[in-house]
Amino acid sequence: MDHDTQKRAAAEFFGTFWLTFGGCGAAVLSAAYPTLGIGFLGVALAFGLTVLTMAYAVGHISGGHFNPAVTLGLWSAGRCANRHVLPYIVAQVLGAILGAGILFLIASGKAGWQPNGFASNGYGALSPGQYELAACFLTEFLLTFFFLFIIIGTTSKGAAVGFAGIPIGFALVLIHLISIPVTNTSVNPARSTGTAFFAGGEYVVQLWLFWLAPILGAVVAGALAKWLYEPAIALEAPIKEHAV
């Protein structure tokens, strides 16, 4: 791995760590805090803020993917080099697992604390609202599709320069507001893997859906956006690998 790819992978590692620790931390530690919790809105904002802050912190290094589905969606759109796909995904998964691991250590420092799913994603009996497999699959597919569509659109030629992190962050807030009751919101296989690793059991068994549906949605969005924005993307060769 060359030095440039190492720097890019490190940026993806730290970005995904922050997303998992910050977003899932809000859900695990603060969502239903006794008497006064931040609730769904607070958790949704936390996830959006993790992406927004890291987009500006390291987005200029790696493109700010922080998500295997985003990496594969941008690859599908012709905006991520082949040589970066695997290093990015490995770094993202490792960052998510470490972020979830440190969160677990902090959360378990409270007497009597129980993981209760540990902010993991699930369908059927593990869905917060008891939504079945088909509904959960469609939710994850569709929301990841639009997430990628927004990412590519806001970073294409003609979009406001330097502001892409804002609509991308708010898109993730909206995605969580829609889907927390359905799947506990994934749209990110790395984030799902990190928490499922510590929740264990059926959450690990169901993890396949939270890889398959987001990746399919992202790749379809990337292919469509490549056609829709093709002239703009062709003019953007120097930044074609960047999400934000």
Side-chain angles (χ1 to χ4, degrees), residues 53-68:
T53 52
M54 272 296 168
Y56 287 105
V58 299
H60 58 287
I61 298 173
S62 66
H65 300 187
F66 319 141
N67 181 339

Side-chain angles (χ1 to χ4, degrees), residues 106-165:
I106 293 171
S108 61
K110 179 180 178 180
W113 178 78
Q114 295 296 323
N116 297 323
F118 196 54
S120 297
N121 306 113
Y123 56 85
L126 301 186
S127 160
Q130 308 290 293
Y131 287 84
E132 293 301 324
L133 171 61
C136 293
F137 187 96
L138 181 58
T139 299
E140 291 291 327
F141 175 92
L142 188 64
L143 293 180
T144 314
F145 173 93
F146 277 101
F147 191 40
L148 264 293
F149 203 74
I150 292 164
I151 289 171
I152 296 170
T154 56
T155 56
S156 292
K157 191 170 182 66
V161 177
F163 292 96

